[in-house]
Amino acid sequence: MLTKTQVEKIQKKSSSKDNALSTTFNALSDPGRLQILKILLEYRDKDICVSDIANILGVSVPAASRQLKILELSELIEKIRHGQTTCFRVKGDNQISKLIIDVLKRVEA
């Protein structure tokens, strides 16, 4: 059995990184969102618009937009505005997204 000190030490280790990782895995648990991330990775040199994602997935623009919002909140992708058009691209500037992107590249290879 753990001592009170050990329990407190474990509790302190549980950090915001754990929350961020949990949010990321939750976002990627949906096959549609995973597919969206893969599309954005494949066309990394282009900004992909919501309507493009909707057409590729065969869903409505609002449905695609909801899935993109979840990926954006997980900090895997970022929104880019081009006038009235909303586009997205992979955001690879944080540690978790870099690791996830690396894993996806290895799996696809």
Side-chain angles (χ1 to χ4, degrees), residues 3-67:
T3 66
K4 184 177 179 178
T5 305
Q6 290 170 321
V7 169
E8 289 171 355
K9 185 176 180 180
I10 292 169
Q11 287 174 333
K12 286 179 184 177
K13 279 187 177 181
S14 182
S15 67
S16 62
K17 284 184 182 180
D18 291 340
N19 290 335
L21 193 56
S22 176
T23 301
T24 301
F25 282 128
N26 184 48
L28 294 176
S29 67
D30 179 83
R33 289 190 294 265
L34 181 59
Q35 186 177 4
I36 290 170
L37 185 61
K38 287 178 170 182
I39 291 165
L40 293 174
L41 279 171
E42 186 175 344
Y43 296 96
R44 198 168 193 173
D45 57 331
K46 299 180 185 239
D47 295 339
I48 307 294
C49 299
V50 176
S51 57
D52 296 328
I53 295 293
N55 288 332
I56 292 167
L57 298 179
V59 299
S60 67
V61 170
S65 186
R66 278 191 300 276
Q67 300 301 339

Side-chain angles (χ1 to χ4, degrees), residues 93-107:
D93 64 351
N94 70 50
Q95 184 182 11
I96 293 173
S97 64
K98 286 179 184 176
L99 292 171
I100 295 295
I101 291 165
D102 187 49
V103 167
L104 289 174
K105 285 180 181 176
R106 290 172 189 244
V107 169

